[in-house]
Amino acid sequence: MSLVSLDKVHKYYGDNHVLKGVDLKIEAGEVVSIIGRSGSGKSTLLRCMNGLEQYQKGGVIVDNQSVEDDEYKLRLLSRSVGMVFQSFNLFPHMTVGQNVMLATKLVLKKSPSESKKLAEELLEKVGLSDKFSAYPGNLSGGQQQRVAIARSLAMSPKVLLCDEITSALDPELVGEVLKVLEQLKAEGMTLILVTHEMNFARDVGDRVVFMNQGKVWETGASDEIFANPQTEELKSFLAAVR
Amino acid sequence: MMQFTDWDILRNLLLAARWTILLSLLAFIGGGLFGLLLTILRSMRNTLITRLIQGYVEVFQGIPLLMQLFLTFFGFSLIGFEVDAWTAAVISLTLFSSAFFHDIWRGCIEALPKGQWEACRTLGLSYLQTMRYVIVPQAMRMSIAPTVGFSVQIVKGTALASVIGFVELTKAGTMINNAVFQPFKVFAFVALLYFLICFPLSLLARYLEKKNHVAR
Ligand SMILES: Nc1ncnc2c1ncn2[C@@H]1O[C@H](COP(=O)(O)OP(=O)(O)OP(=O)(O)O)[C@@H](O)[C@H]1O
Ligand SMILES: [Mg+2]
């Protein structure tokens, strides 16, 4: 059984048919980049995998749990699926440490000392052990995004969804975030990345999914996709972003 | 005829100002508590409750406070309760401020970025946990300045209670003027006292707003 499995998923925003029958399977340990034009449904697809958006037809199964519109089920699902956002979405009134510990205390019911230990380990892992007591507002974008990654990892998810997590960063800060992702890949974490960084998609992604007109238009191993695109649409997309 | 010195005028006005301050405080506390209750009820996201509260807010924001005072004062006697001006003024100002407080606080909650809710959902926090640990603390911080700012409106609103015969600062001014026939002097004193009550509140609100700006 694949870790993530989408079966003919259809999603509408009112009359806007955004996902038109998406089939996609992602195995544990895979790093998959999702690329495509603006408005092709990349974010929507990602958000259907953790229940932030409801779909109208088809099925989504993640870590053997069906993703449905049900508060309780979605809360259970949140232990399997982490998400990092373009805009970080850190809690500005809490310190970095509190951000990372909030859900481990409230949701995983870990003791304060256990939570603290875990938070320290994770912050060290993302290179921010000295920022435990800092407030997000005093950190650079790259640092904030690394805190957000640590906060997601604290729930020990099986798969991490990343929606353009470097797009809001100054170019010189992109590298430090990508480095963390590479490190996670090396540890065997399953990553699904919506990205505009074609270089990163090629170098780090095992597989690329090209979304077009609400469908998985073309998919394949990263080097294959970039060296040898099959469809006209992907060729013109790659030509445009290069 | 008795002679009023300036000090007599001021002393009598100061005595009456106590009632303005007390009425404002009661309205602030009563309105705050009731507005809080409305905000909690509304956060339960029940369509009927939300509609009812919306209607309540529209009514109390859409009718001049003076009319609300009249309706409370005369309405009670219509249904057989004799309420004094004091009670009518407290009830009226409480209802009036609860509608505004609720609206201010709801606005602060809704002003928080959607991403805060989404981050909580992806971390598996329940609705109540999200409210308690993430939304309310931020909304509260944001609401302090406008809440203090609105208290100035309450103080000024108490002046209207004079029309139903409640002797506070404005009414006292009118009464004293009837004795001394020096309207400009008397009402200048009245205005000065209102200003002395309201100005510190405005300053506080502005200070809190600035502080909040720096903190974000
Ligand atoms: N909350 C929403 N309500 C209505 N329509 C939406 C909403 N979110 C997205 N859409 C629409 O759905 C379509 C797909 O949007 P989506 O955000 O998934 O695209 P995307 O591929 O992530 O684009 P981008 O690269 O710009 O982020 C677009 O036409 C968009 O206008
Ligand atoms: Mg997007």
Side-chain angles (χ1 to χ4, degrees):
Chain A
M1 185 76 198
S2 306
L3 180 57
V4 177
S5 150
L6 286 85
D7 182 31
K8 299 187 192 63
V9 173
H10 288 262
K11 161 80 188 171
Y12 297 81
Y13 285 113
D15 290 338
N16 190 358
H17 197 173
V18 179
L19 299 182
K20 300 175 182 167
V22 172
D23 286 305
L24 185 63
K25 294 204 180 333
I26 292 169
E27 307 302 324
E30 260 194 302
V31 175
V32 176
S33 325
I34 302 177
I35 61 173
R37 288 181 205 288
S38 181
S40 57
K42 307 180 295 293
S43 297
T44 307
L45 179 65
L46 211 59
R47 293 160 63 86
C48 283
M49 294 179 192
N50 67 351
L52 278 185
E53 295 291 349
Q54 264 77 55
Y55 50 91
Q56 278 75 42
K57 252 198 300 186
V60 178
I61 295 175
V62 178
D63 194 22
N64 297 315
Q65 303 167 65
S66 169
V67 180
E68 294 164 30
D69 185 9
D70 176 310
E71 275 262 351
Y72 180 70
K73 284 190 184 169
L74 289 180
R75 259 161 60 200
L76 285 183
L77 183 73
S78 72
R79 299 179 187 202
S80 303
V81 191
M83 187 168 205
V84 185
F85 303 84
Q86 178 175 348
S87 51
F88 325 138
N89 295 346
L90 293 177
F91 308 130
H93 60 302
M94 297 181 189
T95 64
V96 164
Q98 287 167 336
N99 264 275
V100 180
M101 294 186 295
L102 183 70
T104 58
K105 284 182 187 163
L106 294 180
V107 181
L108 301 181
K109 313 278 184 220
K110 287 189 196 285
S111 72
S113 61
E114 243 182 313
S115 296
K116 180 147 190 273
K117 191 160 161 280
L118 178 62
E120 283 168 347
E121 280 169 20
L122 289 169
L123 286 174
E124 169 148 24
K125 180 175 188 159
V126 299
L128 293 171
S129 29
D130 55 331
K131 300 293 183 194
F132 192 90
S133 308
Y135 280 89
N138 297 329
L139 302 184
S140 74
Q143 291 172 327
Q144 290 191 49
Q145 195 58 294
R146 287 184 281 150
V147 174
I149 294 173
R151 182 176 69 176
S152 283
L153 294 177
M155 301 298 287
S156 36
K158 300 225 167 95
V159 50
L160 194 60
L161 311 177
C162 301
D163 193 355
E164 300 195 31
I165 64 171
T166 56
S167 297
L169 302 178
D170 292 335
E172 73 270 21
L173 301 177
V174 169
E176 62 192 52
V177 173
L178 295 187
K179 221 179 86 198
V180 172
L181 289 184
E182 282 183 58
Q183 193 185 334
L184 289 176
K185 176 192 161 103
E187 291 169 9
M189 173 65 91
T190 313
L191 298 170
I192 307 180
L193 317 160
V194 170
T195 183
H196 285 149
E197 305 271 328
M198 292 306 143
N199 291 331
F200 187 73
R202 186 179 49 222
D203 300 341
V204 178
D206 301 319
R207 184 147 70 97
V208 169
V209 170
F210 172 58
M211 290 285 297
N212 192 38
Q213 295 176 15
K215 288 194 176 119
V216 174
W217 202 260
E218 193 172 333
T219 178
S222 305
D223 27 7
E224 267 303 298
I225 284 279
F226 286 104
N228 206 357
Q230 299 296 306
T231 57
E232 281 311 312
E233 288 79 5
L234 179 55
K235 281 178 196 165
S236 73
F237 173 75
L238 290 176
V241 294
R242 266 175 191 164
Chain B
M1 192 184 144
M2 196 183 141
Q3 280 300 309
F4 277 87
T5 63
D6 287 356
W7 167 242
D8 287 327
I9 295 174
L10 192 57
R11 192 170 49 90
N12 280 298
L13 288 178
L14 276 171
L15 288 173
R18 287 182 307 176
W19 301 113
T20 291
I21 292 174
L22 186 63
L23 183 57
S24 304
L25 269 178
L26 286 177
F28 186 82
I29 294 167
L33 289 176
F34 196 45
L36 186 65
L37 180 71
L38 292 176
T39 311
I40 291 169
L41 283 174
R42 183 142 178 191
S43 72
M44 301 204 298
R45 296 185 296 184
N46 172 302
T47 324
L48 179 66
I49 294 177
T50 302
R51 288 264 172 75
L52 286 174
I53 295 179
Q54 275 172 341
Y56 175 89
V57 172
E58 294 299 335
V59 166
F60 282 93
Q61 290 192 337
I63 299 175
L65 179 57
L66 184 59
M67 289 307 126
Q68 295 178 32
L69 276 161
F70 278 152
L71 291 176
T72 317
F73 190 52
F74 299 116
F76 269 112
S77 54
L78 206 66
I79 55 170
F81 286 101
E82 278 311 319
V83 293
D84 48 25
W86 177 227
T87 314
V90 171
I91 292 176
S92 205
L93 279 161
T94 293
L95 297 180
F96 169 78
S97 13
S98 71
F100 278 87
F101 278 142
H102 166 68
D103 210 37
I104 291 171
W105 298 338
R106 177 197 57 83
C108 290
I109 289 175
E110 286 174 8
L112 290 176
K114 227 177 79 204
Q116 295 288 305
W117 290 93
E118 292 186 344
C120 291
R121 276 193 74 179
T122 59
L123 290 171
L125 267 62
S126 69
Y127 176 73
L128 280 180
Q129 290 172 331
T130 304
M131 270 293 187
R132 164 150 180 226
Y133 294 96
V134 176
I135 303 301
V136 170
Q138 293 185 68
M140 257 170 67
R141 206 179 284 188
M142 225 193 300
S143 69
I144 293 174
T147 300
V148 174
F150 181 72
S151 66
V152 174
Q153 302 305 315
I154 296 181
V155 174
K156 291 195 263 187
T158 60
L160 293 172
S162 59
V163 298
I164 55 172
F166 178 64
V167 185
E168 39 63 75
L169 191 47
T170 303
K171 180 80 180 173
T174 319
M175 287 158 65
I176 291 170
N177 181 49
N178 286 343
V180 299
F181 309 111
Q182 286 182 299
F184 187 79
K185 182 191 273 176
V186 172
F187 289 113
F189 274 139
V190 171
L192 177 71
L193 288 179
Y194 273 117
F195 185 76
L196 288 178
I197 299 171
C198 292
F199 186 58
L201 288 172
S202 301
L203 277 185
L204 181 64
R206 215 173 307 153
Y207 165 76
L208 291 169
E209 200 172 311
K210 210 182 276 167
K211 201 173 124 191
N212 197 20
H213 241 81
V214 176
R216 306 207 101 224

